[in-house]
Amino acid sequence: MIFVLAVVCKCDVPDNITINFSQVIDMSIQTQNEKRITINTLKKMKQAGEKFAALTAYEYCGAHAASGAGVEVLLVGDSLGMVIQGHDSSLPVTIEDTAYHVRCVKRGNLGSLLVADLPFMSYYSASKSLENAAILMREGAQMVKLEGGAWLAESTRLLSERGIPVCAHMGLTPQSVNHLGGYRVQGRDPEQGQAIIKEAKVLEEAGASVILIECVPAKLGEWLTESLDIPVIGIGAGPGTDGQILVWHDLLGLYPGKTAKFVKNFLAGNTEGVHGALRDYVAAVKNGTFPSEEHTYS
Ligand code: KIV
């Protein structure tokens, strides 16, 4: 894009006028950056007490619509195994599947922070996590998400030292559904709740940029958010987290299977269709009306 601009300018400019191309290039980069959400944007929002909205995205039009509606974070989630591929869990998703969807989302993204999930068993060692995270980053991801607790510290340290921002997904970790015995609320037992906070601090210390917490009592979501300097994104973790995330198909009421208590269909009754639903979701997250008590665990 910048190269094309430089060539066009050169053809149109009379011989006696000189153009400083470095100025043209600098301006172009600045304009792009002004629209771009980065990890620094999220940190500043946390410090200012401003909520941010996140949403899963899997393809061009959805990414374009969500990003255009003001969603700050787009996640190419391994939920794609269920909502795109029709499996009953996220376990069959491969790094190639994820890379394909990152490429599609990248083309539609208007400046949201693009996060991608490292699939099941693609980060069983620190070196494996680096190898697979590099694949997703080359395709356009700007952060990778890994599921787990303190055991992720080594991978988190290695990735962040090598310039790859990490989001650690804690609480209900769907890749461990077989070990957890189902999709259940986590951290209700006070000891388990304390352990989640302690392990999140270990990951923050190891260099994690964001924590995503799923399906825990609202009080735990709030304590975790207060305990950490890095932004916390919640799904089914109550209104006290810095950001909220939903799965695209849940927000539009498209998933034919059973949905969790924390899901809200923003398309139902919306007179402005999908774009209206996306705008309403962003507004509800920012003004604190979503999640309300009916979407929250105690
Ligand atoms: O894969 C996914 O969509 C996720 C969300 C549940 C946050 O991890």
Side-chain angles (χ1 to χ4, degrees), residues 172-286:
L172 172 59
T173 46
Q175 290 174 12
S176 307
V177 59
N178 294 306
H179 183 67
L180 297 172
Y183 298 102
R184 299 170 190 286
V185 181
Q186 303 295 306
R188 272 203 170 123
D189 157 14
E191 263 177 42
Q192 199 200 8
Q194 283 306 323
I196 290 175
I197 295 182
K198 205 169 142 194
E199 295 194 31
K201 284 185 177 168
V202 170
L203 295 176
E204 178 177 52
E205 176 66 31
S209 295
V210 173
I211 299 289
L212 187 148
I213 182 82
E214 177 166 354
C215 218
V216 296
K219 265 280 157 233
L220 178 54
E222 195 182 318
W223 285 332
L224 179 70
T225 307
E226 284 166 3
S227 309
L228 300 175
D229 290 329
I230 56 175
V232 176
I233 305 178
I235 177 162
T241 55
D242 302 306
Q244 297 290 334
I245 186 163
L246 277 181
V247 169
W248 169 269
H249 296 70
D250 289 340
L251 182 143
L252 299 177
L254 285 172
Y255 189 62
K258 193 170 174 285
T259 51
K261 175 184 165 80
F262 57 73
V263 164
K264 178 170 175 184
N265 176 351
F266 282 84
L267 185 60
N270 199 304
T271 53
E272 292 172 51
V274 172
H275 295 282
L278 291 167
R279 280 193 299 270
D280 285 359
Y281 168 60
V282 172
V285 169
K286 288 185 181 294

Side-chain angles (χ1 to χ4, degrees), residues 1-263:
M1 178 67 187
I2 290 165
F3 175 71
V4 171
L5 181 66
V7 171
V8 170
C9 289
K10 196 169 180 223
C11 299
D12 287 341
V13 176
D15 288 348
N16 57 344
I17 297 179
T18 45
I19 282 214
N20 182 345
F21 285 120
S22 67
Q23 263 176 13
V24 176
I25 290 166
D26 281 355
M27 277 166 52
S28 167
I29 289 170
Q30 199 182 350
T31 317
Q32 285 176 7
N33 282 347
E34 269 166 18
K35 284 192 275 177
R36 245 188 21 210
I37 305 290
T38 68
I39 179 58
N40 294 339
T41 321
L42 303 186
K43 279 187 196 151
K44 280 185 195 147
M45 290 178 85
K46 177 174 181 126
Q47 281 156 10
E50 265 178 67
K51 304 272 183 194
F52 59 86
L55 188 61
T56 64
Y58 313 97
E59 41 72 48
Y60 171 78
C61 292
H64 193 274
S67 191
V71 168
E72 276 95 353
V73 179
L74 297 179
L75 169 70
V76 179
D78 59 0
S79 50
L80 74 88
M82 297 171 87
V83 297
I84 302 288
Q85 299 174 333
H87 295 295
D88 61 2
S89 79
S90 57
L91 273 63
V93 175
T94 64
I95 194 75
E96 290 79 16
D97 294 335
T98 313
Y100 168 77
H101 288 283
V102 169
R103 282 199 289 282
C104 300
V105 167
K106 185 192 174 200
R107 293 184 200 117
N109 184 12
L110 298 173
S112 308
L113 182 72
L114 205 173
V115 183
D117 263 338
L118 278 175
F120 178 62
M121 284 301 140
S122 69
Y123 51 98
Y124 56 78
S125 67
S127 61
K128 201 72 193 161
S129 70
L130 185 61
E131 187 185 316
N132 283 316
I135 294 175
L136 301 182
M137 297 298 282
R138 280 195 198 103
E139 298 294 0
Q142 295 158 327
M143 182 180 290
V144 292
K145 178 161 81 60
L146 294 74
E147 294 184 8
W151 70 270
L152 289 177
E154 199 190 337
S155 295
T156 301
R157 188 165 289 110
L158 179 65
L159 292 178
S160 58
E161 279 174 3
R162 300 297 163 93
I164 301 179
V166 169
C167 171
H169 183 151
M170 304 185 72
L172 172 59
T173 46
Q175 290 174 12
S176 307
V177 59
N178 294 306
H179 183 67
L180 297 172
Y183 298 102
R184 299 170 190 286
V185 181
Q186 303 295 306
R188 272 203 170 123
D189 157 14
E191 263 177 42
Q192 199 200 8
Q194 283 306 323
I196 290 175
I197 295 182
K198 205 169 142 194
E199 295 194 31
K201 284 185 177 168
V202 170
L203 295 176
E204 178 177 52
E205 176 66 31
S209 295
V210 173
I211 299 289
L212 187 148
I213 182 82
E214 177 166 354
C215 218
V216 296
K219 265 280 157 233
L220 178 54
E222 195 182 318
W223 285 332
L224 179 70
T225 307
E226 284 166 3
S227 309
L228 300 175
D229 290 329
I230 56 175
V232 176
I233 305 178
I235 177 162
T241 55
D242 302 306
Q244 297 290 334
I245 186 163
L246 277 181
V247 169
W248 169 269
H249 296 70
D250 289 340
L251 182 143
L252 299 177
L254 285 172
Y255 189 62
K258 193 170 174 285
T259 51
K261 175 184 165 80
F262 57 73
V263 164

